[in-house]
Amino acid sequence: MLSGTDAGLPWALNLPDYRRPVLDPATVFDGSGPLEDPLTDAVLRAVEAQLGYQLPTAYVDLARRHNGGSFARDAHPAPSRTSWAEDHVGVYTLASIGRAARFSLCGELGSAFWVAEWGYPDIGIYIADCPSAGHDMIALDYRSSGEPAVVHVDQEWNYQITVLAPDFETFVTGLVDESEYDVED
């Protein structure tokens, strides 16, 4: 288990073990810089108020250390065919929690943009883009109570919604290299 000091997270020193961050930015992201500065409490409160949802703890913890960026692993298994492939979806970038970056939750290409401009269903928060340049997206689905599920929304297939993971942490830890798949689908 990471200690707050070992992880460079002085704010995490007083957290009980079960509340310490588990997603390591060094393995989640591809080494490129974050999209925005590390998340602060003030920005978090403002973003959650604007979006109308509380963000998952694992997403917030990750953004406090590396706020958005390109994923190191670029695919996630899917339980059924999508417009992208027979058995997976491609993923590209995780939105930062903020407003400054173009692809931040409340930025120019943020969650509201996908609903207002592209007609994506208003089911929660769009958090990650896919290599299709807007023809499918990854979202936090808040339609059920509790932790939001992570879903793939496929614009090419009449905005079909496919559950990928029961929560954000499971989604991120389930990412794999697309080279593991037969991409000739």
Side-chain angles (χ1 to χ4, degrees), residues 24-32 66 69-75 91-94 172 175-179:
D24 180 0
T27 60
V28 171
F29 298 105
D30 70 357
S32 60
H66 189 107
S70 297
F71 286 113
R73 294 176 306 276
D74 57 354
V91 296
Y92 185 61
T93 306
L94 178 66
V172 172
L175 291 169
V176 296
D177 288 320
E178 191 167 37
S179 63

Side-chain angles (χ1 to χ4, degrees), residues 43-56 59 95-99 104-107 109-113 115 122-127 140 142:
V43 170
L44 176 63
R45 284 191 302 274
V47 166
E48 287 181 333
Q50 182 174 339
L51 295 171
Y53 298 103
Q54 182 176 357
L55 292 165
Y59 192 2
S96 60
I97 301 174
R99 291 190 172 88
S104 62
L105 295 182
C106 295
L109 298 177
S111 191
F113 168 82
V115 174
D122 191 7
I123 60 170
I125 304 171
Y126 290 87
I127 62 166
L140 296 171
Y142 286 85

Side-chain angles (χ1 to χ4, degrees), residues 129-145:
D129 63 350
C130 300
S132 66
H135 296 281
D136 57 335
M137 295 289 295
I138 306 299
L140 296 171
D141 183 350
Y142 286 85
R143 293 177 296 168
S144 298
S145 61

Side-chain angles (χ1 to χ4, degrees), residues 2-10 12-13:
L2 294 174
S3 74
T5 303
D6 293 340
L9 308 172
L13 283 174

Side-chain angles (χ1 to χ4, degrees), residues 25 50 61 68-69 103 110 132 134-135 144 146 151-152 156 167 169 179:
Q50 182 174 339
D61 289 343
F103 189 52
S132 66
H135 296 281
S144 298
V151 299
H152 175 254
E156 291 292 311
D167 57 65
E169 185 177 330
S179 63

Side-chain angles (χ1 to χ4, degrees), residues 1-19:
M1 174 54 85
L2 294 174
S3 74
T5 303
D6 293 340
L9 308 172
W11 57 269
L13 283 174
N14 295 324
L15 291 175
D17 284 344
Y18 66 87
R19 281 282 304 127

